[in-house]
Amino acid sequence: MTHWFHRNPLKATAPVSFNLYGVASSPAANKICNDLRTTRARLLDMFTDTTCTPEIMKKSSDEYFALLQGFILPLDGTTQENKLRFIQNFRWTDTLQGNIASAQQDAVFELVSMAFNVAIWYTKFASRLAGKENITEDEAKDVHKSLKIAAGIFKTLKETHIPRLITPAEKGRDLEPRVIDTYIVQSQAEAQEVAIARAIELNHNASLIAALSFETANFYQKADHTLNTLDPECSSKWKKYLQLKQHFYMAYAHCYHGQTLLAGDKCGEAIRSLQEAEKFYSRAEALCKEYRQMKGPGSTAKPSEQLFFKKLGTFIKNTLEKCQRENSFM
């Protein structure tokens, strides 16, 4: 099954020299500063390198974060704040705010911003791989794993690192709860999409697929509701994606529930369930058109022309016709 996922743009950042004159006074200290500058530049390059793999991304990010911890962790084993934490200024844009940058003189701000971008990279890698036709089992596992890693990074940032910031995140910025919560739930929902596709390929029980689809639709609904109070100018397109995926998986849920009812010789109920699937699918089609017309951050695509979308429409139609035929025999 070929997947399609909406993706917001990566965060952008200003170069950082790490030229700490008067502080880095020894050759060893200067080497650490040089290594920080080099590993940061290399990691930033990896975000836009189409040949980058999860293994390369992990190695590059681990190298930079290991050095950056020297500016964050207490150096003497006490609970006192590391004096190097506030010595360097960092500037970053946000995924929903265009080129408007915010700056903090705080190494923790750099840690959470860069790690946020790493998580976004994993979602983009998953999207690129999932969009292939005839995706293999191993590739599907890589997509699922990448989305789980992204969700884990977002969750760790929210629970562990963002609360340490001296300056709280402004409304609508990536590090505020509504935005990061949406990224967490979206990553979880998309990972479950891969599980559903795998269950369909392996001809698992229709009731299981219906249950997974219903749960996935609820994930997308939750993510959509989380963005309700965000400025529509920067979130409307994202919300349309979440809404169309919610209706798409509600159509899936009703379609497979109809199959379960049909297997139990409940043709009348099965027909009603498939008719509900048609309603949700029609609404998803309308949302696809609205999505294409929306302005704002995110990829430009025609979701209703994607293979995954067309397949469901045909599947609902064929299943409903089968239910109606069997009902006419009774």
Side-chain angles (χ1 to χ4, degrees), residues 77-145:
T78 67
T79 57
Q80 285 188 330
E81 200 70 71
N82 188 328
K83 292 179 181 179
L84 294 175
R85 174 178 167 180
F86 305 107
I87 205 167
Q88 178 71 59
N89 192 56
F90 301 94
R91 289 176 60 82
W92 284 90
T93 63
D94 291 85
T95 58
L96 301 179
Q97 302 291 339
N99 294 323
I100 302 170
S102 56
Q104 291 192 35
Q105 197 155 321
D106 186 350
V108 173
F109 177 66
E110 167 73 356
L111 172 70
V112 295
S113 299
M114 188 68 84
F116 197 100
N117 243 19
V118 172
I120 292 289
W121 181 88
Y122 274 104
T123 69
K124 286 179 176 288
F125 174 79
S127 179
R128 192 165 63 246
L129 190 57
K132 291 175 57 180
E133 288 191 29
N134 303 318
I135 184 171
T136 66
E137 182 180 347
D138 286 341
E139 287 172 333
K141 288 178 180 177
D142 286 340
V143 172
H144 188 270
K145 183 179 179 181

Side-chain angles (χ1 to χ4, degrees), residues 11 77 114 156 160 164 188 203 228 238 251 254 285 296 299-300:
K11 297 161 73 69
M114 188 68 84
T156 301
T160 306
R164 295 188 61 197
Q188 292 170 333
N203 293 317
N228 276 347
W238 197 7
H254 280 285
E285 275 189 312
S299 49
T300 302

Side-chain angles (χ1 to χ4, degrees), residues 70-244:
F71 282 61
I72 298 171
L73 297 176
L75 300 179
D76 55 2
T78 67
T79 57
Q80 285 188 330
E81 200 70 71
N82 188 328
K83 292 179 181 179
L84 294 175
R85 174 178 167 180
F86 305 107
I87 205 167
Q88 178 71 59
N89 192 56
F90 301 94
R91 289 176 60 82
W92 284 90
T93 63
D94 291 85
T95 58
L96 301 179
Q97 302 291 339
N99 294 323
I100 302 170
S102 56
Q104 291 192 35
Q105 197 155 321
D106 186 350
V108 173
F109 177 66
E110 167 73 356
L111 172 70
V112 295
S113 299
M114 188 68 84
F116 197 100
N117 243 19
V118 172
I120 292 289
W121 181 88
Y122 274 104
T123 69
K124 286 179 176 288
F125 174 79
S127 179
R128 192 165 63 246
L129 190 57
K132 291 175 57 180
E133 288 191 29
N134 303 318
I135 184 171
T136 66
E137 182 180 347
D138 286 341
E139 287 172 333
K141 288 178 180 177
D142 286 340
V143 172
H144 188 270
K145 183 179 179 181
S146 294
L147 291 166
K148 285 291 189 181
I149 289 171
I153 293 172
F154 288 131
K155 194 168 185 291
T156 301
L157 291 179
K158 179 194 172 186
E159 294 176 354
T160 306
H161 300 293
I162 292 174
R164 295 188 61 197
L165 289 171
I166 303 298
T167 305
E170 298 173 33
K171 290 183 178 180
R173 298 284 183 176
D174 289 336
L175 307 184
E176 72 121 307
R178 292 172 299 177
V179 176
I180 200 161
D181 279 345
T182 305
Y183 276 116
I184 292 169
V185 177
Q186 179 181 334
S187 298
Q188 292 170 333
E190 290 173 349
Q192 193 145 296
E193 284 192 51
V194 180
I196 291 169
R198 185 67 181 149
I200 292 169
E201 287 174 9
L202 295 175
N203 293 317
H204 281 318
N205 191 288
S207 62
L208 171 65
I209 297 170
L212 286 172
S213 299
F214 183 70
E215 187 178 37
T216 303
N218 284 341
F219 272 137
Y220 280 116
Q221 185 179 52
K222 179 182 177 182
D224 174 42
H225 289 174
T226 304
L227 292 178
N228 276 347
T229 55
L230 213 62
D231 182 0
E233 188 175 336
C234 63
S235 64
S236 292
K237 189 168 187 175
W238 197 7
K239 280 176 66 62
K240 285 294 178 201
Y241 165 74
L242 299 170
Q243 290 164 10
L244 75 87

Side-chain angles (χ1 to χ4, degrees), residues 200 203-214 251-274 277 315 319-320 322-323 326 330:
I200 292 169
N203 293 317
H204 281 318
N205 191 288
S207 62
L208 171 65
I209 297 170
L212 286 172
S213 299
F214 183 70
Y252 246 124
H254 280 285
C255 184
Y256 277 92
H257 181 56
Q259 281 200 331
T260 303
L261 292 168
L262 181 62
D265 293 327
K266 298 177 180 178
C267 287
E269 291 179 48
I271 289 170
R272 285 192 292 274
S273 189
L274 266 297
F315 185 55
T319 308
L320 178 57
K322 180 182 178 182
C323 290
E326 296 207 12
M330 292 184 176

Side-chain angles (χ1 to χ4, degrees), residues 4 6 220 224 237-251 280-281 283-292 303-304 308-309:
W4 168 77
H6 167 95
Y220 280 116
D224 174 42
K237 189 168 187 175
W238 197 7
K239 280 176 66 62
K240 285 294 178 201
Y241 165 74
L242 299 170
Q243 290 164 10
L244 75 87
K245 279 295 184 81
Q246 178 208 341
H247 284 78
F248 179 81
Y249 278 98
M250 282 300 292
F280 277 106
Y281 185 78
R283 178 59 184 143
E285 275 189 312
L287 286 164
C288 285
K289 292 176 184 176
E290 291 174 24
Y291 174 86
R292 286 173 57 183
S304 58
F308 83 96
F309 198 90

